[in-house]
Amino acid sequence: MAQSRSMESRTGRTNQRYGAKGERLVAGVVPLSADKTKVLMIQSAGPGGWVLPKGGWETDEETAQQAACREAWEEAGVICTVQKDLGTIPDMRPPALVTAQAPKASYQFFEVIVEREEPQWPEMHKRKRQWVTYAQAASALVSRPELLEALNRSSLKR
């Protein structure tokens, strides 16, 4: 079932979903190679090196899974298939790093298999993508405990 994929990235938080405690609901993916030996990481839009594709779950998306796959497309340019729900991960940032621009969040991650990498995607001008091993990914995510937790819940081969 092919859905049309926009070359426009969503921006802003007008349609952002929030949880019961006012936390921003964020959906993301741990994109694995078919043999599960590599994970696809993307450059962070801000400083901070390499991250997993993720972003706000919006009100026009029925499921966090839809939002996660949209983010994988916008940020990494991949078409993916969800393998499993990795569950909810709380925001683990120290209170000093939680600001109005970066409010507390609740993360819902999904393990996905990358079916295709498209040569052009919405955020290609601001993000590179790179296949890495578990050790490389874990080392890159050391300052992002919520992303490291998602990686550790996945079936990526260690």
Side-chain angles (χ1 to χ4, degrees):
M1 160 191 101
Q3 51 194 105
S4 67
R5 291 191 168 76
S6 168
M7 282 304 282
E8 288 295 308
S9 255
R10 297 187 180 198
T11 54
R13 298 208 173 138
T14 45
N15 299 320
Q16 170 66 53
R17 283 182 192 247
Y18 292 92
K21 300 187 192 81
E23 72 280 20
R24 188 169 162 245
L25 299 182
V26 173
V29 296
V30 179
L32 303 183
S33 57
D35 64 4
K36 298 187 177 180
T37 60
K38 295 269 171 67
V39 60
L40 187 68
M41 295 189 75
I42 56 167
Q43 264 178 326
S44 172
W50 295 84
V51 295
L52 297 169
K54 55 153 183 38
W57 174 14
E58 301 196 347
T59 50
D60 64 345
E61 293 167 312
E62 273 180 49
T63 64
Q65 191 169 319
Q66 276 179 309
C69 289
R70 173 182 54 78
E71 289 293 341
W73 163 246
E74 289 179 1
E75 296 186 349
V78 296
I79 312 303
C80 57
T81 306
V82 173
Q83 299 292 302
K84 66 179 186 184
D85 183 337
L86 298 174
T88 307
I89 299 170
D91 197 326
M92 301 179 202
R93 289 175 298 163
L97 290 180
V98 176
T99 64
Q101 288 70 43
K104 211 158 184 56
S106 173
Y107 298 89
Q108 177 81 48
F109 271 90
F110 298 89
E111 177 175 311
V112 300
I113 295 293
V114 172
E115 305 292 338
R116 270 203 330 273
E117 288 177 71
E118 295 296 344
Q120 297 185 305
W121 70 95
E123 297 186 15
M124 60 187 282
H125 57 285
K126 63 179 179 186
R127 298 183 193 273
K128 292 187 173 74
R129 59 189 177 195
Q130 184 179 7
W131 287 99
V132 299
T133 62
Y134 171 80
Q136 291 169 309
S139 146
L141 296 175
V142 80
S143 64
R144 299 295 301 272
E146 69 288 350
L147 302 184
L148 184 56
E149 175 64 23
L151 181 74
N152 286 334
R153 290 183 187 184
S154 80
S155 47
L156 177 65
K157 294 197 171 95
R158 308 294 196 261

